[in-house]
Amino acid sequence: MTNTVDCIYIAACARDARLTRICVASIRYFYPEVPIRLLAGDILQRGLAEELHRYWGVELVNLPRGDYGWGLVKLEPLFGPAGQRFLVMDVDTAFTGRVLDIRAESDAPFFVDDEQLSDSDFKRLYYDWDKLREIDPRVQPARAAFNVGQWFGTAGLVKREEFDPWVEWTLPRRVRYPEYFMGGDQGVMNYVILQKEACEGLRIERRTIMRWPGNSMVGLTVDSVSKGTAPPLVIHWAGMKKTLLRNMVGAGLLVFFEKFYYQRFRAGKLRRLLAISYHFRLQCLHAIRWRIRLQYRKWIGTRLSKNNGPEIVKQSIAT
């Protein structure tokens, strides 16, 4: 079957190079020729874009360099060439089969995972339409959200200006009302798309295309995936990333695709070991910096509390 999308976009960031390689390898395992384009949400690990292009034919999307905030770089494909059909993925994902073939069964411009939620879960994970009525009286209740770690879309149907009231297009990108929209791009993306479905009839088809390892990995083994007998899904390790792959649910599949990735390299086994070592060092340095930052904030808060009172402390922490 020919490719049913014009390209696959992968949203990458500085500390996720290892998962980016694994994600690319899982796509190439099933689709050797489909165009893959990298969305850089911030400054990528040095040499990663060149490596992916040389060995796996991955192109880097030409965007202004900078910080796109929590996932907001994934909105950019919506504003690409009109009619372009695409799949957007987070890097903590992997194909288990020919997922694009499922997309071929539908001509709906948007094709997303079918996620049915209670009102309370929807409001906790995406957006609270009751609170949003304070600033948008037209907002409609919703039930069927979609996880933005994997979704099929068509460019040109949703305009950038439709996000203008909710997103600041500066670098860094910011959601204007984080108290209303949850999860970075997840809440605001669902809000705009679902309201367009409710009010303007935008066609969205919902099918089971994603598996969260926290629920189950039944049927998704290295053996079933490598033999082509596994159900074609996108595994999404949302909220489950670990510094060491062996500590992640479904680690065997991650390692399988990582080894597949390095098969194209001269001295691939050595390159893999060096890359793992570098990844581990980066993660440790990040954890140390984060702890220092938290301790500094705590220390500043204590000093301000003693000298200026609680209101000044709140203002300082907020900035």
Side-chain angles (χ1 to χ4, degrees):
M1 183 177 291
T2 58
N3 295 332
T4 56
V5 298
D6 297 308
C7 69
I8 297 176
Y9 290 102
I10 300 176
C13 64
R15 292 182 295 103
D16 280 335
R18 190 177 188 186
L19 290 176
T20 302
R21 294 180 177 108
I22 291 170
C23 181
V24 167
S26 78
I27 297 169
R28 283 284 179 253
Y29 190 83
F30 298 102
Y31 296 98
E33 302 298 330
V34 64
I36 302 176
R37 296 173 184 170
L38 209 60
L39 293 164
D42 58 15
I43 306 303
L44 298 178
Q45 181 177 305
R46 182 180 302 175
L48 177 64
E50 292 81 2
E51 175 187 302
L52 289 169
H53 177 70
R54 178 180 178 184
Y55 291 97
W56 293 100
V58 176
E59 301 290 340
L60 182 64
V61 179
N62 184 21
L63 292 174
R65 296 181 68 184
D67 179 4
Y68 283 77
W70 185 357
L72 292 171
V73 73
K74 288 182 288 181
L75 299 179
E76 295 301 318
L78 289 169
F79 319 129
Q84 183 187 74
R85 290 159 59 89
F86 56 80
L87 167 64
V88 176
M89 299 174 66
D90 284 342
V91 295
D92 56 344
T93 60
F95 277 15
T96 64
R98 294 184 61 83
V99 179
L100 302 186
D101 294 2
I102 303 175
R103 175 66 173 109
E105 299 170 6
S106 170
D107 63 354
F110 284 81
F111 190 84
V112 302
D113 187 58
D114 187 13
E115 184 176 7
Q116 301 293 326
L117 298 165
S118 65
D119 287 359
S120 59
D121 282 343
F122 190 107
K123 293 176 180 180
R124 176 175 58 86
L125 296 171
Y126 293 91
Y127 60 88
D128 187 330
W129 57 80
D130 288 325
K131 292 181 179 179
L132 265 171
R133 286 198 179 94
E134 298 174 8
I135 55 176
D136 183 4
R138 301 174 302 167
V139 65
Q140 300 293 312
R143 299 292 185 276
F146 61 95
N147 183 285
V148 295
Q150 60 291 300
W151 55 279
F152 292 89
T154 303
L157 300 180
V158 183
K159 307 299 184 184
R160 188 181 295 272
E161 52 265 29
E162 295 181 72
F163 286 91
D164 285 351
W166 321 112
V167 175
E168 294 180 11
W169 299 111
T170 54
L171 290 175
R173 293 276 197 267
R174 292 188 177 89
V175 174
R176 293 186 187 276
Y177 302 98
E179 67 274 24
Y180 295 135
F181 298 110
M182 316 309 167
D185 63 315
Q186 181 143 284
V188 72
M189 172 73 175
N190 269 267
Y191 170 76
V192 171
I193 297 297
L194 296 184
Q195 297 309 298
K196 199 169 181 70
E197 178 189 33
C199 300
E200 301 179 28
L202 178 69
R203 290 179 59 214
I204 304 173
E205 183 164 336
R206 296 167 172 86
R207 295 273 294 274
T208 298
I209 59 173
M210 188 267 279
R211 177 78 66 83
W212 185 58
N215 287 334
S216 170
M217 286 290 285
V218 172
L220 304 179
T221 64
V222 171
D223 186 62
S224 65
V225 170
S226 63
K227 291 180 178 177
T229 59
L233 297 168
V234 178
I235 305 176
H236 188 182
W237 284 268
M240 301 183 72
K241 290 188 290 186
K242 305 289 184 182
T243 299
L244 299 175
L245 290 191
R246 65 171 178 261
N247 294 332
M248 294 176 64
V249 179
L253 271 175
L254 292 165
V255 172
F256 170 76
F257 284 125
E258 185 174 53
K259 289 181 177 179
F260 175 73
Y261 178 89
Y262 283 101
Q263 286 179 8
R264 294 194 177 185
F265 291 70
R266 180 179 297 177
K269 291 182 180 179
L270 177 60
R271 288 282 296 266
R272 176 172 173 254
L273 290 175
L274 292 174
I276 292 172
S277 176
Y278 185 61
H279 168 81
F280 183 74
R281 183 162 63 89
L282 285 180
Q283 300 301 319
C284 290
L285 288 173
H286 174 74
I288 292 170
R289 292 192 189 104
W290 185 248
R291 288 184 182 181
I292 292 173
R293 185 177 179 183
L294 290 177
Q295 289 297 321
Y296 176 74
R297 287 181 176 179
K298 183 178 179 180
W299 178 76
I300 288 293
T302 302
R303 291 288 301 273
L304 290 174
S305 179
K306 290 179 179 178
N307 298 329
N308 301 306
E311 290 303 317
I312 300 297
V313 175
K314 291 181 183 178
Q315 294 176 19
S316 175
I317 293 175
T319 57

